[in-house]
Amino acid sequence: LLFPRTQRTYGYNINMANRFMEEIFEIFDKGGTPQGQMYTSAIMNFGRAGEWEKALQVLSLMDLHGQSPHVICYNAAITACGKSAQWEKGIELIRVMKRRGVQPDVVNYNTIITVCGKCRQWARAMEMFDEMKKKGITPDVITYTAVISVCAKNGHGKEALEVFQEMRKVASTSQPVSKSSSWFFSPLLF
């Protein structure tokens, strides 16, 4: 595990995930349709407990229940995989999203880049960064920070500087990297 868990937090998260699962099955058994938010909460809690396999099972359960997982569900599942150093599974989830017609967004890419970085998979993180740009997804301040960090922590200072320069160049254009991150770039321009 990348993030050590204590018995107390593990127990809490497992209890919460199981509670959400009980509610999902109860609603389904009564002929209702559980809300996607319930599945997402279960996935997140299994992920926090380091139970990535169970998180992925919940994602599959959505299909069985006729629910299409959305980007938030996938992001929770990618995060769950990342907490257990399952970066390959996280990348596979990005591929599954595309096959199912769910377009990964900047948050999904930020998450998988961070996961790859924490697992010391520099080349994979850079592939995801390049892929998102090729798909027309605009990197935000979180993306650039994650990529620079991945480069620097994996001994690729030159590449980190190149990404920083790219970030500065984007920040100097008339369109900010994202509306919420434009405040970040202003001090970097000087």
Side-chain angles (χ1 to χ4, degrees):
L1 284 177
L2 286 177
F3 303 95
R5 60 179 184 233
T6 65
Q7 190 61 33
R8 184 174 178 191
T9 58
Y10 174 80
Y12 172 79
N13 288 310
I14 288 295
N15 286 339
M16 290 301 296
N18 286 331
R19 206 176 290 164
F20 282 114
M21 293 308 299
E22 287 172 12
E23 287 182 42
I24 287 168
F25 283 116
E26 187 177 306
I27 292 168
F28 191 72
D29 288 343
K30 291 180 180 177
T33 303
Q35 296 178 346
Q37 178 180 352
M38 296 176 81
Y39 293 100
T40 305
S41 296
I43 293 167
M44 289 171 58
N45 279 287
F46 279 130
R48 287 181 189 136
E51 299 288 343
W52 65 274
E53 289 129 328
K54 289 181 181 177
L56 295 184
Q57 288 171 356
V58 174
L59 201 61
S60 296
L61 186 64
M62 289 182 77
D63 285 328
L64 290 173
H65 287 176
Q67 299 251 353
S68 297
H70 47 72
V71 292
I72 298 170
C73 290
Y74 280 109
N75 204 61
I78 293 166
T79 300
C81 292
K83 288 189 180 278
S84 296
Q86 298 295 320
W87 61 270
E88 301 101 330
K89 297 289 184 188
I91 289 175
E92 179 58 26
L93 286 171
I94 294 285
R95 306 285 180 248
V96 167
M97 290 175 73
K98 291 183 213 171
R99 282 195 305 268
R100 293 187 172 183
V102 179
Q103 294 306 312
D105 64 11
V106 68
V107 176
N108 298 124
Y109 278 104
N110 289 347
T111 302
I112 195 60
I113 289 167
T114 301
V115 165
C116 289
K118 288 184 179 184
C119 294
R120 305 199 54 79
Q121 295 297 317
W122 171 80
R124 296 292 185 174
M126 295 306 289
E127 285 174 20
M128 294 290 100
F129 180 55
D130 291 339
E131 179 180 303
M132 76 180 283
K133 292 188 294 183
K134 286 178 186 166
K135 298 282 183 189
I137 300 169
T138 305
D140 63 10
V141 66
I142 296 168
T143 312
Y144 282 112
T145 302
V147 173
I148 291 167
S149 176
V150 167
C151 291
K153 288 179 180 177
N154 286 278
H156 297 278
K158 178 183 173 202
E159 289 83 355
L161 186 57
E162 289 171 0
V163 173
F164 180 75
Q165 294 299 336
E166 176 185 328
M167 180 179 71
R168 286 187 63 185
K169 183 178 178 182
V170 170
S172 67
T173 64
S174 59
Q175 294 182 334
V177 172
S178 76
K179 291 176 185 169
S180 63
S181 63
S182 58
W183 63 270
F184 176 83
F185 290 112
S186 55
L188 299 175
L189 297 176
F190 302 100

